[in-house]
Amino acid sequence: MQRTSLVLLSVSGLLFIMIGVASLLDPAGAIAPTGIEIHTIAGHNEVRANYGGMILVLGLYFLAGALRPPLRSQTLLVLALFCTGLVLGRSVSLVVDGNPGLMMNSFLALEVLAAALAMGCWRQSLQRARKD
């Protein structure tokens, strides 16, 4: 699972960094594929903050966890919790709002997978730490 942890954190980190940079530079363009349109300065501000700055910094953190083994366990937990939060929000939306379509459902499937992998890797890292 150590290799899985390394790959999961590296890929997640790079994806988050790409999303973050794109959202900081072009918030309307970055979010357009989701069907969301931004019409106000406040909307641009919100996307730059939540999809840009926050996601970029999380991506850097996940990449740091991949590159620095002492950070890996806590970074896996943060990734698992973050993806679980995304899954929760998308699941509530499915029930309350209905089916959002293939792209959003694909994101949901990817986030479920990432949350499960990160949680499994985190639990295994705790078991290894107890043995040491």
Side-chain angles (χ1 to χ4, degrees):
M1 276 287 215
Q2 288 183 353
R3 180 174 287 275
T4 303
S5 298
L6 178 64
V7 171
L8 179 62
L9 288 171
S10 296
V11 170
S12 297
L14 291 172
L15 285 172
F16 275 55
I17 289 168
M18 289 172 21
I19 292 166
V21 169
S23 298
L24 282 172
L25 297 177
D26 181 13
I31 205 161
T34 66
I36 298 171
E37 296 179 7
I38 304 173
H39 298 288
T40 64
I41 292 172
H44 281 86
N45 181 280
E46 191 66 17
V47 172
R48 279 192 167 102
N50 287 292
Y51 289 82
M54 182 174 64
I55 297 299
L56 173 60
V57 170
L58 277 171
L60 292 170
Y61 179 64
F62 297 149
L63 205 53
L67 299 173
R68 304 228 24 229
L71 295 176
R72 197 162 294 155
S73 181
Q74 70 185 25
T75 309
L76 286 164
L77 178 60
V78 171
L79 178 59
L81 293 172
F82 186 80
C83 288
T84 299
L86 292 171
V87 169
L88 174 64
R90 291 190 198 281
S91 298
V92 168
S93 179
L94 271 171
V95 172
V96 174
D97 306 318
N99 188 337
L102 180 61
M103 186 169 75
M104 293 297 127
N105 289 330
S106 298
F107 289 166
L108 174 60
L110 185 61
E111 291 154 0
V112 167
L113 178 62
L117 283 172
M119 188 59 71
C121 290
W122 174 70
R123 290 184 66 195
Q124 189 168 35
S125 73
L126 291 180
Q127 291 170 351
R128 273 194 315 274
R130 286 186 187 124
K131 290 179 183 177
D132 293 342

